[in-house]
Amino acid sequence: MTQDQEAISQAAGIPALAVVRVSHSYGKRKALDDVSFDIESGSFSVLLGLNGAGKSTLFSLITRLYATRDGTIKIFGHDVTRESGEALRRLGVVFQARTLDPDLSVMQNLIYHAALHGIGPREAKQRAETVLAQVALADRVADKVRNLSGGQMRRVEIARALLHNPEILLLDEPTVGLDVKARADIVAHVRSLVANHGIGVLWTTHLIDEIAMTDQVMVLHKGKILANGTAADVIAGTGALDMRMAFAKLTGTELGE
Protein backbone atom coordinates (compact mmCIF):
# COMPACT_ATOMS: atom_id res chain seq x y z
CA MET A 1 0.00 0.00 0.00
CA THR A 2 1.45 3.40 -0.96
CA GLN A 3 1.46 6.36 1.39
CA ASP A 4 -1.10 8.06 -0.87
CA GLN A 5 -3.40 5.02 -0.72
CA GLU A 6 -3.10 4.87 3.04
CA ALA A 7 -3.82 8.59 3.40
CA ILE A 8 -6.92 8.31 1.20
CA SER A 9 -8.26 5.31 3.17
CA GLN A 10 -7.62 6.96 6.52
CA ALA A 11 -9.10 10.27 5.40
CA ALA A 12 -12.23 8.47 4.23
CA GLY A 13 -12.50 6.73 7.59
CA ILE A 14 -12.66 3.32 5.94
CA PRO A 15 -11.28 0.46 8.08
CA ALA A 16 -8.80 -1.93 6.49
CA LEU A 17 -11.04 -4.72 7.81
CA ALA A 18 -14.54 -4.43 9.22
CA VAL A 19 -16.21 -7.47 10.80
CA VAL A 20 -19.83 -6.73 11.68
CA ARG A 21 -22.05 -9.07 13.69
CA VAL A 22 -20.59 -12.24 12.21
CA SER A 23 -21.80 -15.62 13.45
CA HIS A 24 -21.01 -19.11 12.18
CA SER A 25 -22.06 -22.59 13.21
CA TYR A 26 -20.97 -26.14 12.48
CA GLY A 27 -24.25 -27.96 12.79
CA LYS A 28 -25.52 -27.19 16.29
CA ARG A 29 -22.14 -25.94 17.55
CA LYS A 30 -21.74 -22.16 17.36
CA ALA A 31 -18.13 -21.31 16.49
CA LEU A 32 -18.63 -17.53 16.26
CA ASP A 33 -21.33 -15.55 18.03
CA ASP A 34 -22.07 -11.96 16.91
CA VAL A 35 -18.42 -10.98 16.41
CA SER A 36 -17.67 -7.34 15.52
CA PHE A 37 -14.44 -5.31 15.28
CA ASP A 38 -12.49 -3.00 12.95
CA ILE A 39 -8.81 -3.06 11.94
CA GLU A 40 -7.25 0.24 10.87
CA SER A 41 -4.67 0.78 8.12
CA GLY A 42 -1.06 0.59 9.28
CA SER A 43 -1.91 -1.03 12.62
CA PHE A 44 -0.85 -4.25 14.34
CA SER A 45 -3.94 -5.88 15.81
CA VAL A 46 -4.10 -9.13 17.75
CA LEU A 47 -6.89 -11.69 17.98
CA LEU A 48 -6.09 -13.43 21.26
CA GLY A 49 -7.67 -16.74 22.18
CA LEU A 50 -7.14 -20.37 23.04
CA ASN A 51 -7.29 -23.16 20.48
CA GLY A 52 -10.94 -23.65 19.56
CA ALA A 53 -11.89 -20.05 20.32
CA GLY A 54 -12.97 -19.46 16.72
CA LYS A 55 -9.88 -17.70 15.33
CA SER A 56 -9.34 -20.02 12.36
CA THR A 57 -13.07 -20.05 11.57
CA LEU A 58 -13.03 -16.27 11.38
CA PHE A 59 -10.01 -16.35 9.06
CA SER A 60 -11.82 -18.84 6.83
CA LEU A 61 -14.78 -16.47 6.58
CA ILE A 62 -12.61 -13.41 5.85
CA THR A 63 -10.76 -15.28 3.09
CA ARG A 64 -13.95 -16.80 1.64
CA LEU A 65 -12.96 -20.39 2.35
CA TYR A 66 -16.33 -20.44 4.10
CA ALA A 67 -19.34 -18.41 2.99
CA THR A 68 -20.56 -15.71 5.37
CA ARG A 69 -24.22 -16.34 6.22
CA ASP A 70 -24.72 -14.10 9.26
CA GLY A 71 -23.13 -10.65 9.37
CA THR A 72 -20.85 -8.80 6.97
CA ILE A 73 -17.09 -8.62 6.39
CA LYS A 74 -15.56 -5.75 4.40
CA ILE A 75 -11.98 -5.13 3.32
CA PHE A 76 -11.42 -1.43 2.63
CA GLY A 77 -15.16 -1.06 2.18
CA HIS A 78 -15.54 -4.00 -0.22
CA ASP A 79 -17.90 -6.76 0.92
CA VAL A 80 -16.15 -10.14 0.73
CA THR A 81 -19.40 -11.80 -0.35
CA ARG A 82 -20.64 -9.36 -3.00
CA GLU A 83 -17.28 -7.94 -4.13
CA SER A 84 -14.97 -10.83 -3.38
CA GLY A 85 -12.47 -10.04 -6.16
CA GLU A 86 -12.02 -6.42 -5.12
CA ALA A 87 -11.87 -7.36 -1.43
CA LEU A 88 -9.48 -10.30 -1.63
CA ARG A 89 -6.93 -8.66 -3.92
CA ARG A 90 -6.21 -6.27 -1.05
CA LEU A 91 -5.59 -9.18 1.31
CA GLY A 92 -2.50 -11.28 2.03
CA VAL A 93 -2.82 -14.41 4.17
CA VAL A 94 -0.49 -16.71 6.08
CA PHE A 95 -2.41 -19.74 7.32
CA GLN A 96 -1.35 -21.83 10.30
CA ALA A 97 -0.73 -24.95 8.19
CA ARG A 98 2.43 -24.94 6.07
CA THR A 99 1.65 -24.78 2.33
CA LEU A 100 5.03 -24.39 0.59
CA ASP A 101 6.28 -27.11 -1.78
CA PRO A 102 9.40 -28.47 -0.04
CA ASP A 103 10.90 -29.82 -3.26
CA LEU A 104 10.86 -26.46 -5.05
CA SER A 105 13.25 -23.59 -4.43
CA VAL A 106 12.19 -20.48 -2.59
CA MET A 107 12.02 -18.54 -5.87
CA GLN A 108 10.07 -21.31 -7.63
CA ASN A 109 7.48 -21.33 -4.82
CA LEU A 110 7.01 -17.58 -5.13
CA ILE A 111 6.83 -17.52 -8.93
CA TYR A 112 4.23 -20.31 -8.90
CA HIS A 113 2.12 -18.40 -6.39
CA ALA A 114 2.49 -15.16 -8.36
CA ALA A 115 1.11 -16.92 -11.44
CA LEU A 116 -2.08 -17.63 -9.49
CA HIS A 117 -2.48 -13.84 -9.17
CA GLY A 118 -1.88 -13.33 -12.89
CA ILE A 119 1.65 -11.99 -12.41
CA GLY A 120 4.01 -12.95 -15.24
CA PRO A 121 7.40 -14.66 -14.64
CA ARG A 122 9.60 -11.58 -15.17
CA GLU A 123 7.57 -9.33 -12.88
CA ALA A 124 7.14 -12.21 -10.41
CA LYS A 125 10.92 -12.59 -10.13
CA GLN A 126 11.34 -8.88 -9.48
CA ARG A 127 8.60 -8.85 -6.88
CA ALA A 128 9.96 -12.00 -5.25
CA GLU A 129 13.39 -10.45 -4.88
CA THR A 130 11.82 -7.37 -3.30
CA VAL A 131 9.66 -9.20 -0.76
CA LEU A 132 12.42 -11.69 0.14
CA ALA A 133 14.66 -8.73 0.94
CA GLN A 134 11.91 -7.38 3.20
CA VAL A 135 11.96 -10.60 5.24
CA ALA A 136 15.79 -10.92 5.18
CA LEU A 137 15.93 -13.98 2.90
CA ALA A 138 17.42 -12.48 -0.25
CA ASP A 139 20.37 -14.89 0.00
CA ARG A 140 18.16 -18.04 0.03
CA VAL A 141 16.31 -17.64 -3.28
CA ALA A 142 17.86 -20.76 -4.87
CA ASP A 143 17.60 -23.00 -1.80
CA LYS A 144 15.02 -25.76 -1.69
CA VAL A 145 12.38 -25.06 0.94
CA ARG A 146 13.09 -28.37 2.71
CA ASN A 147 16.57 -27.04 3.58
CA LEU A 148 15.22 -24.03 5.46
CA SER A 149 14.52 -23.78 9.17
CA GLY A 150 10.94 -23.52 10.42
CA GLY A 151 11.33 -19.78 10.99
CA GLN A 152 12.75 -19.26 7.51
CA MET A 153 9.84 -21.18 5.97
CA ARG A 154 7.44 -18.88 7.79
CA ARG A 155 9.25 -15.84 6.42
CA VAL A 156 8.98 -17.26 2.89
CA GLU A 157 5.23 -17.65 3.45
CA ILE A 158 5.04 -14.03 4.59
CA ALA A 159 7.00 -12.97 1.50
CA ARG A 160 4.65 -15.00 -0.68
CA ALA A 161 1.63 -13.29 0.90
CA LEU A 162 3.14 -9.90 0.00
CA LEU A 163 3.73 -10.65 -3.70
CA HIS A 164 0.54 -8.98 -4.94
CA ASN A 165 1.07 -5.86 -2.79
CA PRO A 166 -1.77 -6.40 -0.31
CA GLU A 167 -2.94 -3.59 1.95
CA ILE A 168 -3.73 -5.84 4.91
CA LEU A 169 -2.02 -9.05 6.04
CA LEU A 170 -3.71 -11.82 8.06
CA LEU A 171 -1.55 -14.31 9.96
CA ASP A 172 -3.14 -17.26 11.76
CA GLU A 173 -0.93 -18.48 14.64
CA PRO A 174 2.16 -17.96 12.45
CA THR A 175 4.69 -18.84 15.17
CA VAL A 176 3.23 -22.21 16.19
CA GLY A 177 5.98 -24.83 16.42
CA LEU A 178 8.86 -22.35 16.32
CA ASP A 179 11.49 -21.84 19.01
CA VAL A 180 11.64 -18.64 21.06
CA LYS A 181 14.20 -16.87 18.85
CA ALA A 182 12.42 -17.78 15.62
CA ARG A 183 9.11 -16.57 17.09
CA ALA A 184 10.66 -13.26 18.10
CA ASP A 185 12.19 -12.83 14.63
CA ILE A 186 8.85 -13.42 12.89
CA VAL A 187 7.05 -10.94 15.15
CA ALA A 188 9.79 -8.35 14.56
CA HIS A 189 9.66 -8.82 10.78
CA VAL A 190 5.90 -8.37 10.65
CA ARG A 191 6.01 -5.32 12.91
CA SER A 192 8.60 -3.81 10.57
CA LEU A 193 6.17 -4.26 7.65
CA VAL A 194 3.61 -2.24 9.60
CA ALA A 195 6.10 0.48 10.54
CA ASN A 196 7.91 0.76 7.20
CA HIS A 197 5.26 -0.11 4.62
CA GLY A 198 1.95 0.88 6.25
CA ILE A 199 0.46 -2.60 6.00
CA GLY A 200 -2.38 -3.39 8.39
CA VAL A 201 -1.95 -6.67 10.26
CA LEU A 202 -4.39 -9.01 11.99
CA TRP A 203 -2.33 -11.51 14.00
CA THR A 204 -3.92 -14.41 15.85
CA THR A 205 -2.16 -15.98 18.79
CA HIS A 206 -2.50 -17.56 22.22
CA LEU A 207 0.95 -16.30 23.27
CA ILE A 208 1.06 -13.25 25.51
CA ASP A 209 4.68 -12.34 24.75
CA GLU A 210 3.76 -11.55 21.12
CA ILE A 211 1.61 -8.61 22.24
CA ALA A 212 2.78 -5.02 22.77
CA MET A 213 0.93 -2.67 25.11
CA THR A 214 -0.07 -0.38 22.21
CA ASP A 215 -1.50 -3.19 20.05
CA GLN A 216 -5.24 -3.40 19.53
CA VAL A 217 -6.29 -6.67 21.19
CA MET A 218 -9.55 -8.53 20.67
CA VAL A 219 -10.03 -11.30 23.23
CA LEU A 220 -11.98 -14.11 21.54
CA HIS A 221 -13.33 -16.88 23.76
CA LYS A 222 -15.82 -19.57 22.81
CA GLY A 223 -16.78 -17.60 19.71
CA LYS A 224 -17.40 -14.27 21.46
CA ILE A 225 -15.38 -11.06 21.67
CA LEU A 226 -15.00 -10.35 25.38
CA ALA A 227 -12.75 -7.28 25.13
CA ASN A 228 -11.55 -4.94 22.39
CA GLY A 229 -9.02 -2.15 22.90
CA THR A 230 -5.33 -1.54 23.32
CA ALA A 231 -3.62 -4.12 25.48
CA ALA A 232 -3.07 -1.41 28.09
CA ASP A 233 -6.78 -0.53 28.08
CA VAL A 234 -7.86 -4.18 28.33
CA ILE A 235 -5.58 -4.66 31.33
CA ALA A 236 -6.84 -1.48 32.99
CA GLY A 237 -10.45 -2.33 32.25
CA THR A 238 -10.19 -5.66 34.04
CA GLY A 239 -8.20 -4.31 36.98
CA ALA A 240 -5.45 -6.79 36.16
CA LEU A 241 -1.70 -6.41 36.52
CA ASP A 242 -0.83 -7.77 33.06
CA MET A 243 -2.38 -9.25 29.91
CA ARG A 244 -2.19 -12.81 31.17
CA MET A 245 -4.18 -11.93 34.28
CA ALA A 246 -6.63 -9.85 32.23
CA PHE A 247 -7.29 -12.84 29.94
CA ALA A 248 -7.88 -15.09 32.96
CA LYS A 249 -10.32 -12.60 34.48
CA LEU A 250 -12.25 -12.24 31.23
CA THR A 251 -12.45 -15.93 30.31
CA GLY A 252 -12.02 -17.83 33.56
CA THR A 253 -9.20 -19.81 31.92
CA GLU A 254 -5.42 -19.59 31.81
CA LEU A 255 -3.29 -19.09 28.71
CA GLY A 256 -0.46 -21.58 28.20
CA GLU A 257 3.15 -20.60 27.72
Side-chain angles (χ1 to χ4, degrees):
M1 185 180 189
T2 67
Q3 289 183 340
D4 288 344
Q5 287 173 317
E6 184 179 357
I8 291 169
S9 294
Q10 290 177 343
I14 300 172
L17 173 67
V19 177
V20 182
R21 306 203 67 176
V22 169
S23 297
H24 190 80
S25 298
Y26 300 104
K28 294 182 179 179
R29 183 176 73 84
K30 201 155 200 175
L32 294 172
D33 188 0
D34 203 28
V35 169
S36 296
F37 61 84
D38 288 347
I39 301 299
E40 300 304 321
S41 299
S43 68
F44 190 99
S45 301
V46 179
L47 193 63
L48 178 66
L50 299 169
N51 291 336
K55 304 190 298 295
S56 294
T57 296
L58 182 58
F59 265 44
S60 294
L61 292 169
I62 295 170
T63 57
R64 291 289 291 159
L65 291 177
Y66 299 159
T68 308
R69 295 187 178 90
D70 297 309
T72 59
I73 299 171
K74 293 183 178 181
I75 299 171
F76 287 94
H78 298 281
D79 191 302
V80 299
T81 298
R82 293 178 297 174
E83 305 170 89
S84 58
E86 280 297 309
L88 296 180
R89 74 179 181 84
R90 292 167 166 78
L91 182 68
V93 186
V94 178
F95 289 105
Q96 184 173 336
R98 300 284 171 82
T99 55
L100 297 171
D101 187 326
D103 294 317
L104 296 181
S105 71
V106 170
M107 180 61 77
Q108 287 170 331
N109 267 277
L110 267 59
I111 288 176
Y112 174 76
H113 184 76
L116 300 178
H117 286 276
I119 302 169
R122 181 177 297 180
E123 184 180 358
K125 185 175 183 296
Q126 293 173 342
R127 290 193 185 196
E129 290 170 348
T130 298
V131 295
L132 287 170
Q134 289 175 9
V135 297
L137 284 176
D139 59 337
R140 305 302 296 269
V141 293
D143 291 4
K144 284 191 175 181
V145 166
R146 67 169 62 258
N147 295 326
L148 303 180
S149 69
Q152 289 168 335
M153 290 182 189
R154 265 301 183 230
R155 279 189 274 157
V156 173
E157 289 180 317
I158 292 169
R160 183 180 61 180
L162 295 172
L163 277 173
H164 62 291
N165 298 321
E167 299 166 41
I168 181 169
L169 188 62
L170 274 59
L171 302 101
D172 188 11
E173 297 270 7
T175 61
V176 165
L178 302 181
D179 61 37
V180 173
K181 183 182 184 307
R183 287 202 297 111
D185 286 346
I186 294 297
V187 175
H189 279 300
V190 174
R191 288 190 182 278
S192 74
L193 294 172
V194 176
N196 299 327
H197 301 282
I199 294 174
V201 165
L202 178 59
W203 177 283
T204 78
T205 189
H206 64 277
L207 300 167
I208 292 293
D209 63 356
E210 295 178 355
I211 300 172
M213 285 298 99
T214 55
D215 292 341
Q216 177 187 0
V217 177
M218 290 79 66
V219 176
L220 183 66
H221 186 65
K222 295 182 178 179
K224 294 185 177 182
I225 296 288
L226 302 185
N228 183 358
T230 66
D233 287 343
V234 172
I235 291 167
T238 58
L241 298 176
D242 56 27
M243 196 66 224
R244 186 177 299 281
M245 184 183 294
F247 184 88
K249 284 193 169 191
L250 287 164
T251 66
T253 59
E254 297 283 346
L255 281 166
E257 296 296 331

